[in-house]
Structure formats: structure tokens, C-alpha cells
Amino acid sequence: MSTNEIQTASNFIRHIINNDLKQNKNNGRVATRFPPEPNGYLHIGHAKSICLNFGTAAEYQGTCNLRFDDTNPEKESIEYMESIERDVKWLGFEWRELRHASDYFEQLYQFAVDLIKQGKAYVDSLSPEEIRQYRGTLTEPGKESPDRSRSIEENLRLFEGMRNGDFADGQYVLRAKIDMASPNINMRDPAIYRIRRAHHHRTGDQWCIYPMYDYTHCISDALENITHSLCTLEFEDHRPLYDWVLDQLDVPCHPQQIEFARLQLEYSIVSKRKLNQLVMEKHVDGWDDPRMPTLAGLRRAGVTPNAIRDFCERIGITKKDSWIEMAVLENSIREDLNENSPRAMAVLKPLRIVIENYPDDQVESLEISNHPQHPEMGSRNIQFSKTVLIEQDDFAEVPPSGFKRLIKGGEVRLRGAYVIKCNEIIKNEHGNIVELRCTYDPDTLGKNPEGRKVKGVIHWVSEQHSVPAELRLYDRLFNHPNPDTLSNFLDALNPHSLEVLNDCRVEYSLASSGPGSRFQFERMGYFCRDLHDTDKGVMVFNRTVTLRDTWGK
């Protein structure tokens, strides 16, 4: 595909790639990769990188690998790897090859031996604390380790001993020999191997030394013939090290590292450590809790892959970090669900209505469209009977100004059915309204009553023909726009992020819906049938998002 054929929104990365193609760099190839560490579930921030890497490859008819950076076995697991594969596929992307950094452990070791032979790496016995002290500061150069002058022969012997398990964890590290006076601290002899006796989920106990990320990542890119290594801005200061390592070694290619701003979403956190803390301390119900910013949580909440891809396209790709308002994500979700979700009626807090002039044993089947703008989505049948349920909030004994719902002596239309009039209020011994006695106008099905105008329209379900349901009203997990800026992010937890309603009723047509089915509950919001809680005896629906942005209003 020529650069002129790329019609999608422009960004600085596309400009770089277009220029590379004009110069026939990489023989016109574009190859990217998405390289997560399998130490947690993917979150909305990863979605931006996924869409960028896979999307860029697709635009240029290139390739994109999924590669697990599995060099830290103590924090990684098969569960996380499987969840990452599932999330990437759910977003709508396919990788060319599935790779693991552990695939290259032997090659990485031999490359390290090569660096030692060149006199560009040495085995160091300084402790982690001593290494930090020797490293210097941003304004002061570091000082050389006493072990920096070891002979090549001794370094080779010690490094082999590290591999063979001759030394204790932490006794030695292998460091690159670069420049202890470099203004870039990352270039002050960084560690590239450490001793760590940890069982690896793929290589078992074969290795007791593991390579560091900065060393592993660039070589993995080169071995996979990646052309453009796209990563977030925190790696910009690491780029000189990326280039230095590859410049010293005989690798198939030298990929170009390009940094972009990571996604920072208000009212959210994307630190895996903090997300894991939320799970472990049971502030949420697992990694896929619908309040979590994980892709698994968003999926369980009812968010679609299309909405997330649309969101990532809207926020664009920049070189400058900035905060994205939560409303931007919610608007992408609303627009997608509004367009594609069938309508249904659900009563969250039921109030009983007895229609006194409706025949006791009569039941009507009323046909209602599934989507007002999309007739191709068909229709469904709703049963109407003598007793129906409406929302408690749709009746007011003492109505506020401008109230257009049901009042005593007033009329309202039941959605898709008749106009009813409230004649009597029934209260219990505590003075609470428990029932309304109404009448209906049989001549108002599908038409307005003659001689009077009824403004209000409310939703309802038949008491006899509706189905019990539990509705979970999820809201933002944090009530502070930037919880990461607080000394304790848990202080920003929103105590009202979940309200569970157990006495709801939904129309009978929803009884056949499967887990993950999405609906707009008319006047209530967008809901999704829960993916897991299908054995509770009642249906469970999670609120994905409200009909409009009401946060803080």
C-alpha cells in the first residue's frame, strides 16, 4: 500500500513511517509488535497500544506480533498470558506470530557472552544499594565499580558460574560497560542480567539467571525483524540504551524505537500494582469487575470492542502526556450502544398499578419495535394485563414544578400501550405508597386521546408476565479525577460506585437473552447481561453507562 492510500487520521508516527517508505527503508516493510509483560490483566491504556501497533501494521499491509515479555517469572502466570490473548482477540486483532522473550533465552545469553568478549560487559559484586550509590545523580556523574576492571577471562568464568547456579541470588549481576559519567543515568553501566532462582512458567527451572527488560526488549525486536518499535514516553530516556545494545551485536536488523504519550484517563488508575492491590484487598470483585479499567472489566460491563477502538482513534497519538476526560470514553460507549443495542423495558424500583376497568382475565400482546431508528432490528411482543409495574419515581403525590409523569387525577401514556389515569393511592401502615388504582382509555392504543393532550410517556412491565432480575448500577470507581496524585489512592475510592437492586422486573422477552447480551433499558441506561452470574436464580444485568453524562450534576 502506498503512502497516498493511507486515508486514516494522521499522526506523527504515520509521518515517520510514510517517510521511511518513501526512502524504501526496511525494503518497504512495516513490522510492529505488542509486547506486554504477563503480570496482570490488560487495561484501557494497553488498548491504545494494541490499536496503534496492530492498526499501524494493518494500514500498511504489514505484520504485528504478540510477544510476552516473560523475563520476571515471580510476577507472571499462565492465567495472565491467556487473558492477554483473549483481550487482543476480543478487540478484533490477530497477530502474525505469538512470541515470548523466553524463546530467546539462549540467544540472549550468547549475546551477553559476546559483549563480555568485546570488553563491553562485566560481572559486578556490588549490592543493589551500592550500585545505586555508585550511579550518581542527575547533576553528578557516577563512579566506577571496583569490578569494572575485571579481565575478560574472569568475567566469562563468573558469568558461566552465574548460569550454572554456583552463586547465591544477588551475589553478582552482569552490567553493560558504557559510561559512568553519561548525563543519561540509564547509560551508566546498567544491569543486564541478575541471578534469580525462580520457577518459570515456560522454561521451568532451566535458568537461574534472567535478562533485564532493557537488554531483552531491543534484541527481541531485532530477532523478530521489527521495523518500528512503538512504546510509551517513559522509555524515551531508554532509547540510547536500546540503540547501544543493538549497535554492539550482530543482529538481523536495527528497529527504530518511537515513543508516544501513554493514555492517562481521569477517575482511573492503570498501574498494574495498584490494580492488583484493589483485587487482592477485595475493593473490587476481581480483575473483571465492571468498575475496573481492565479490558476484561469493560467487557463484563457491556462495553464493545468497537467503542474502545473508536475511543482510541478519537484521542489520537501525540508526543505530549495529557489527561483524557472520562466523558470522552463514556461518549464513545454511548454512541456505539445507542446505535446497536435493542431496546427493552425494565422497572428498577417497582410500583404496582391496578387498572380497574381492564378485564381481569384479559392479556394483550403488543408489538414494539426493538430500535426506533433501525426497523431491520425487528420487533418484540410485550404482554399487557390488568396489573402492571412502573418506576416509583414516575409517580409523585406532591409533584414538583414541570413534572410530566403520573399524578393523582392525571394521565400518562404507558410506552407502546394505553393512556392511564390515576384515581386512588393505596398506602401501607407506614404511610408508604404501595399501589395505585388507575383506569385506562381503550381508544388510545397507538393514537392520542381525543380532546386532550398527554405529554408524559413512561415505561412499564406486566406484573404477571415480567421476570425478576438483579440490576447492578455501576459508577466510576474513584471520585477524584487523578487518584494517582494522592498519597494514598484508596482514599479516592467512590463509596457509591456500586448499587445493587434486587427487586427489579424486566420484560419477559429478555428471559431468552444470553450472557453478554446488551440492551438499552428505556429511560434507565445501557445494560449488559452479566457474563458470570448466570446461576443465581434470577437474571443479573450490569449497567454499562447511563443514558447521558450526569456525573457531578
Side-chain angles (χ1 to χ4, degrees):
M1 180 180 292
S2 70
T3 57
N4 291 333
E5 292 176 279
I6 304 299
Q7 300 296 326
T8 49
S10 182
N11 63 52
F12 75 96
I13 292 177
R14 290 191 182 101
H15 290 319
I16 293 172
I17 295 176
N18 288 343
N19 188 58
D20 289 345
L21 294 177
K22 286 179 181 178
Q23 300 177 30
N24 199 35
K25 188 177 178 181
N26 305 306
N27 295 316
R29 289 189 310 112
V30 174
T32 61
R33 80 292 166 269
F34 173 60
E37 181 181 356
N39 62 349
Y41 281 62
L42 297 183
H43 52 64
I44 187 67
H46 292 113
K48 179 178 179 178
S49 182
I50 293 170
C51 291
L52 175 60
N53 279 286
F54 283 93
T56 297
E59 289 169 18
Y60 293 94
Q61 294 185 346
T63 61
C64 184
N65 290 348
L66 172 61
R67 180 175 72 240
F68 291 110
D69 172 36
D70 55 346
T71 60
N72 192 9
E74 292 172 317
K75 296 183 178 181
E76 299 161 359
S77 73
I78 296 293
E79 174 193 353
Y80 295 143
M81 292 174 61
E82 291 176 345
S83 73
I84 290 170
E85 291 184 47
R86 185 166 55 246
D87 287 344
V88 172
K89 289 181 179 179
W90 176 71
L91 274 180
F93 298 107
E94 291 288 341
W95 49 86
R96 183 191 185 189
E97 294 182 359
L98 179 63
R99 298 291 189 95
H100 306 78
S102 55
D103 296 337
Y104 313 124
F105 276 176
E106 182 61 39
Q107 289 165 284
L108 291 163
Y109 176 82
Q110 294 301 333
F111 279 128
V113 170
D114 188 32
L115 287 176
I116 294 174
K117 289 180 178 179
Q118 294 182 53
K120 295 175 180 176
Y122 62 97
V123 175
D124 195 0
S125 61
L126 291 180
S127 68
E129 179 58 34
E130 289 172 327
I131 289 177
R132 280 191 290 271
Q133 292 174 358
Y134 274 60
R135 185 172 290 134
T137 66
L138 292 174
T139 57
E140 297 178 352
K143 60 180 182 178
E144 296 183 356
S145 165
D147 294 334
R148 201 174 195 266
S149 59
R150 286 188 196 276
S151 68
I152 291 176
E153 292 73 18
E154 187 178 6
N155 281 318
L156 289 172
R157 179 182 61 80
L158 288 172
F159 190 48
E160 184 178 7
M162 288 170 62
R163 174 176 182 166
N164 292 338
D166 296 342
F167 310 116
D169 286 14
Q171 186 173 347
Y172 289 110
V173 295
L174 182 69
R175 298 176 68 180
K177 185 186 290 187
I178 307 178
D179 181 6
M180 289 304 294
S182 172
N184 185 336
I185 291 183
N186 295 298
M187 300 296 282
R188 296 180 186 175
D189 292 10
I192 58 177
Y193 264 94
R194 78 281 203 200
I195 304 173
R196 181 167 297 174
R197 286 171 172 78
H199 183 82
H200 192 281
H201 52 275
R202 295 189 73 243
T203 62
D205 299 319
Q206 180 181 352
W207 294 87
C208 62
I209 58 171
Y210 291 97
M212 305 297 285
Y213 176 84
D214 281 340
Y215 172 75
T216 305
H217 183 71
C218 55
I219 296 176
S220 300
D221 281 348
L223 293 175
E224 294 177 21
N225 285 295
I226 301 304
T227 60
H228 299 86
S229 181
L230 311 180
C231 58
T232 47
L233 276 179
E234 62 262 36
F235 293 102
E236 186 171 27
D237 289 340
H238 297 246
R239 192 197 321 152
L241 179 56
Y242 183 103
D243 291 332
W244 182 90
V245 171
L246 296 183
D247 286 342
Q248 316 311 312
L249 302 173
D250 182 16
V251 290
C253 69
H254 188 135
Q256 179 182 4
Q257 177 174 306
I258 307 172
E259 306 86 15
F260 61 93
R262 66 177 180 173
L263 173 59
Q264 299 182 111
L265 186 65
E266 288 186 346
Y267 296 99
S268 183
I269 57 171
V270 290
S271 160
K272 283 185 182 178
R273 179 182 61 82
K274 292 179 179 179
L275 292 176
N276 186 63
Q277 183 179 348
L278 289 172
V279 174
M280 292 297 101
E281 295 180 1
K282 299 188 182 304
H283 299 289
V284 295
D285 182 27
W287 284 94
D288 67 346
D289 186 298
R291 293 166 292 181
M292 289 279 274
T294 57
L295 297 184
L298 291 165
R299 178 166 62 248
R300 188 176 176 191
V303 177
T304 68
N306 185 64
I308 294 177
R309 293 194 302 268
D310 175 73
F311 168 69
C312 291
E313 184 67 24
R314 288 188 184 193
I315 62 176
I317 304 297
T318 67
K319 284 283 283 186
K320 183 179 180 181
D321 281 329
S322 60
W323 287 94
I324 305 298
E325 293 182 3
M326 178 65 79
V328 178
L329 173 60
E330 292 174 344
N331 285 339
S332 287
I333 296 170
R334 281 192 193 94
E335 289 181 15
D336 177 71
L337 294 177
N338 179 58
E339 184 71 14
N340 299 296
S341 297
R343 276 42 175 172
M345 291 194 287
V347 176
L348 278 59
K349 298 178 180 180
L351 175 60
R352 196 166 188 253
I353 301 285
V354 176
I355 305 174
E356 295 183 296
N357 63 334
Y358 195 86
D360 291 347
D361 56 354
Q362 181 172 315
V363 178
E364 290 183 77
S365 183
L366 308 177
E367 185 176 5
I368 299 181
S369 170
N370 285 331
H371 198 296
Q373 284 81 45
H374 293 289
E376 70 275 9
M377 293 181 69
S379 59
R380 66 197 188 280
N381 290 322
I382 303 295
Q383 285 68 43
F384 186 83
S385 59
K386 186 180 184 70
T387 305
V388 300
L389 304 172
I390 67 169
E391 292 289 345
Q392 294 176 12
D393 290 344
D394 281 337
F395 175 80
E397 187 174 14
V398 181
S401 176
F403 191 76
K404 295 181 180 180
R405 286 162 280 173
L406 191 59
I407 61 175
K408 184 177 181 181
E411 290 184 312
V412 72
R413 176 176 291 281
L414 298 178
R415 166 82 170 92
Y418 298 96
V419 170
I420 62 171
K421 180 179 181 179
C422 177
N423 303 310
E424 184 181 356
I425 301 171
I426 307 298
K427 298 183 179 182
N428 61 17
E429 65 275 16
H430 303 294
N432 298 319
I433 300 173
V434 295
E435 185 178 296
L436 302 177
R437 301 289 173 85
C438 299
T439 53
Y440 87 115
D441 186 337
D443 295 325
T444 56
L445 183 62
K447 58 183 179 181
N448 292 321
E450 294 187 8
R452 62 194 192 278
K453 188 173 183 180
V454 178
K455 294 183 179 180
V457 180
I458 62 175
H459 63 281
W460 58 278
V461 294
S462 167
E463 183 179 58
Q464 179 183 354
H465 305 94
S466 57
V467 182
E470 176 183 299
L471 268 60
R472 298 171 182 172
L473 307 184
Y474 289 101
D475 213 327
R476 298 176 185 180
L477 185 57
F478 297 98
N479 55 21
H480 188 285
N482 307 120
D484 252 340
T485 63
L486 304 178
S487 57
N488 181 5
F489 77 103
L490 296 177
D491 291 339
L493 282 172
N494 176 15
H496 308 295
S497 63
L498 172 60
E499 180 184 3
V500 178
L501 303 178
N502 294 302
D503 299 319
C504 309
R505 308 282 289 196
V506 299
E507 61 180 66
Y508 185 77
S509 65
L510 271 60
S512 59
S513 65
S517 300
R518 303 176 184 89
F519 301 93
Q520 183 199 96
F521 287 169
E522 299 201 30
R523 303 174 64 230
M524 294 288 103
Y526 296 97
F527 287 78
C528 173
R529 180 108 185 246
D530 191 73
L531 294 172
H532 303 323
D533 291 326
T534 56
D535 58 352
K536 291 174 63 69
V538 298
M539 292 187 291
V540 176
F541 290 91
N542 301 324
R543 184 171 66 186
T544 310
V545 68
T546 55
L547 290 177
R548 58 188 61 84
D549 184 8
T550 57
W551 182 260
K553 295 180 180 178

